[in-house]
């Protein structure tokens, strides 16, 4: 290896010079459109892993529902809920009790995305308002088969303390009332962020 490097040192340095010339050229060429920079210049230090635990209240039937059906499939056989779209502004609390300490809201939509089972497309944000997370958001985009014991949904990004976040949320139904459709869901969120 050393012998090879020695014999070809001239060729290698020549190639390196050419390469650096091209990368300099590329930097100059595109300087107004893109540049590379160190994470610390954006105040990004070490990536860490956080675990958040809270309860999600999906209130469909109440004087002030937090989940509202805003659209549905235009079909004569209205027996299947497939195609329904629900907008949510669901409270998040530390305990299963709705009157326990609030930690944020889950705001967005879920849609009945399966013709054969209760499988939802979830697209919503967690807007946190607790302690150092106050004002920071996380975005969830995933599939939720509501009658499975554990559902896993990707965390696709975030803002504030959750800038550049990625992770996953585990959802477990705590209580579900089939008469009203109201549910309390336990959430465990595992997220990498800076
Ligand atoms: C969260 O921040 C808002 C606005 O900065 C503030 O009004 C509110 O009191 C804060 N809430 C908590 C629980 O710290
Ligand atoms: C979180 O989302 C709100 C909108 O709900 C936005 O105004 C706010 O800037 C976001 N927080 C951060 C830290 O970007």
């Amino acid at each position: 290896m050393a012998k090879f490097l020695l014999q070809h040192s001239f060729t290698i340095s020549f190639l390196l010079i050419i390469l650096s010339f091209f990368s300099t050229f590329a930097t100059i060429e595109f300087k107004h459109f893109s540049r590379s920079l160190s994470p610390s210049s954006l105040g990004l230090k070490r990536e860490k892993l956080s675990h958040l635990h809270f309860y999600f209240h999906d209130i469909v039937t109440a004087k002030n529902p937090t989940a509202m059906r805003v659209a549905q499939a235009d079909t004569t056989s209205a027996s299947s809920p497939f195609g329904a779209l629900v907008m949510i502004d669901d409270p998040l609390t530390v305990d299963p009790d709705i009157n326990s300490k609030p930690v944020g809201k889950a705001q967005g939509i879920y849609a009945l995305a399966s013709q054969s089972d209760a499988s939802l497309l979830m697209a919503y944000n967690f807007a946190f308002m607790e302690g150092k997370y106050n004002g920071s958001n996380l975005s969830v985009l995933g599939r939720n088969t509501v009658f499975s014991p554990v559902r896993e949904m990707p965390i696709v990004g975030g803002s504030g303390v959750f800038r550049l976040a990625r992770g996953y949320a585990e959802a477990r139904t705590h209580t579900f009332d089939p008469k009203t459709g109201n549910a309390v869901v336990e959430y465990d969120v595992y997220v990498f962020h800076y």
Side-chain angles (χ1 to χ4, degrees), residues 49-125:
L49 179 62
S50 297
H51 173 202
L52 311 175
H53 178 254
F54 51 82
Y55 292 85
F56 167 109
H57 302 265
D58 197 48
I59 308 165
V60 177
T61 311
K63 208 170 102 215
N64 295 309
T66 63
M68 277 180 209
R69 188 182 283 215
V70 293
Q72 57 221 316
D74 182 15
T75 160
T76 45
S77 70
S79 58
S80 158
F82 172 64
L85 203 61
V86 178
M87 196 88 205
I88 59 168
D89 185 11
D90 284 350
L92 309 173
T93 58
V94 284
D95 289 319
D97 180 359
I98 180 85
N99 297 311
S100 62
K101 187 179 182 181
V103 293
K105 295 289 202 73
Q107 300 175 329
I109 57 171
Y110 60 76
L112 284 99
S114 168
Q115 288 180 300
S116 53
D117 62 7
S119 154
L120 309 180
L121 160 71
M122 311 290 289
Y124 62 94
N125 298 305

Side-chain angles (χ1 to χ4, degrees), residues 3 27 51 55 65-66 76-77 103 108 111 141 151 155 168 182:
K3 205 171 150 215
T27 314
H51 173 202
Y55 292 85
T66 63
T76 45
S77 70
V103 293
L141 179 65
R151 291 86 73 185
I155 302 290
Y168 63 98
N182 295 349

Side-chain angles (χ1 to χ4, degrees), residues 5 25 41 52 63 66 70 77 92 100 107-108 117 127 130 142 148 163 166 180 185 193:
L5 284 178
F25 182 75
S41 66
L52 311 175
K63 208 170 102 215
T66 63
V70 293
S77 70
L92 309 173
S100 62
Q107 300 175 329
D117 62 7
E130 163 59 20
S148 306
R163 268 187 193 163
R166 66 206 157 85
T180 58
V185 183
H193 62 103

Side-chain angles (χ1 to χ4, degrees), residues 6-7 9 14 21 25 33 40 46 70 75 80 86-87 96 111 131-133 153 159 163 172 180:
L6 261 175
Q7 278 172 356
S9 63
F14 181 73
F21 172 78
F25 182 75
F33 174 58
S40 61
R46 243 166 44 117
V70 293
T75 160
S80 158
V86 178
M87 196 88 205
K132 65 175 174 181
Y133 302 110
M153 290 170 278
S159 64
R163 268 187 193 163
R172 293 174 177 81
T180 58

